[in-house]
Amino acid sequence: MPTFNIEKGDILGFLGRNGAGKSTTMRMITGYLSPTSGAVFVDGLNVFDEPLVVKKNIGYLPETPPVYMDMTVSRYLKFVAELKSIRYRDVKSEIARVSDRCGITHVSHRLIRNLSKGFRQRVGLAQALLGSPSVLILDEPTAGVDIEMRRSMYEFLRETNDEGRTIILTTHYLEEAELLCRNVAIINQGKIVTQGAIRDLLRDLNSETFILDTQEEAPGDFVLPGFDLRKIEHHSLEVDLQKGQDLAQVFSALSERGITVVSMRNKENRLERMFVNVLEGRS
């Protein structure tokens, strides 16, 4: 069983290739699967010794939302509320709260089978929020949804995390993890191969490649000792920056030649490169 910790109020990106063990780990944390060894603790309680108490504190959205297609949205949420033992007098207001939060109030009367994938995902998220759990476990919550739904999900996750909830998020979109998460854990073949703050892990990269866009035409013969530079377009230079090198030196040298840098960007997603390096055993 993989070993890792997540602090209260954190949002952890749980990353790995297909088949690495992400979903299996999520199912063990939520008590749906029993580990062959080891233990899972949530708020100091063993998931398998105190399953009912722990599950009340966990909201879980699997990769495929656990919805019943022949139910309406409101009937399904009422069914889940009953499973979670929410007090009868609170069920109506609780369903209204999560429906409003997830933007599904206007489809509450519709059969789930007639909803788009994005709205089924929202319904799945709403059921995870019923009962105001302190921990949210979301397995690929933005997989296969459109850009608008993805942005809506990002906003929701930030707001939910700001409220003090602990979130574990699995995703194949590494730019998503870099955007949303403070910390990541990378799993490979059922074992955690690295874990830590994203900024610390990215700091260990030996090099980065930047694209510099220039106001004047970029010089094709630009040479700066110790730096690897090349012209890639009329108004763009590519710079390989080694660990310890300062991009300001490039800006200064270009300025001396009358070239103004108007913008810069990373050529590649740094978290993706770190992810590949870790899985391939490179530093």
Side-chain angles (χ1 to χ4, degrees), residues 2 6 40 44 53 61 81 100 102 123 144 178 209 216 222 244 269-270:
I6 176 169
V40 179
V53 177
L61 175 60
D100 179 66
C102 297
V123 174
E178 187 167 5
T209 301
E216 300 77 18
F222 182 52
N269 182 282
R270 295 191 302 156

Side-chain angles (χ1 to χ4, degrees), residues 15-22 63 140 172 187-189 275 279:
L15 312 177
R17 293 179 172 134
N18 287 333
K22 300 188 301 297
E63 185 174 357
E140 301 286 347
H172 280 104
I187 186 173
N188 189 36
Q189 297 180 348
F275 176 80
L279 293 185

Side-chain angles (χ1 to χ4, degrees), residues 1 27-29 31-35 38-40 46-51:
M1 184 176 180
R27 291 174 189 143
M28 287 190 289
I29 294 173
Y32 284 86
L33 285 179
S34 297
V40 179
N46 189 309
V47 171
F48 305 102
D49 290 342
E50 304 279 353

Side-chain angles (χ1 to χ4, degrees), residues 150-183:
R150 188 171 295 165
R151 287 177 177 169
S152 176
M153 182 70 77
Y154 293 168
E155 182 178 349
F156 166 83
L157 289 173
R158 291 192 190 97
E159 291 176 353
T160 301
N161 185 235
D162 287 344
E163 293 169 358
R165 282 194 180 90
T166 304
I167 300 174
I168 303 177
L169 170 73
T170 74
T171 179
H172 280 104
Y173 304 112
L174 296 184
E175 70 278 6
E176 187 171 281
E178 187 167 5
L179 180 67
L180 295 171
C181 305
R182 289 184 288 272
N183 298 293

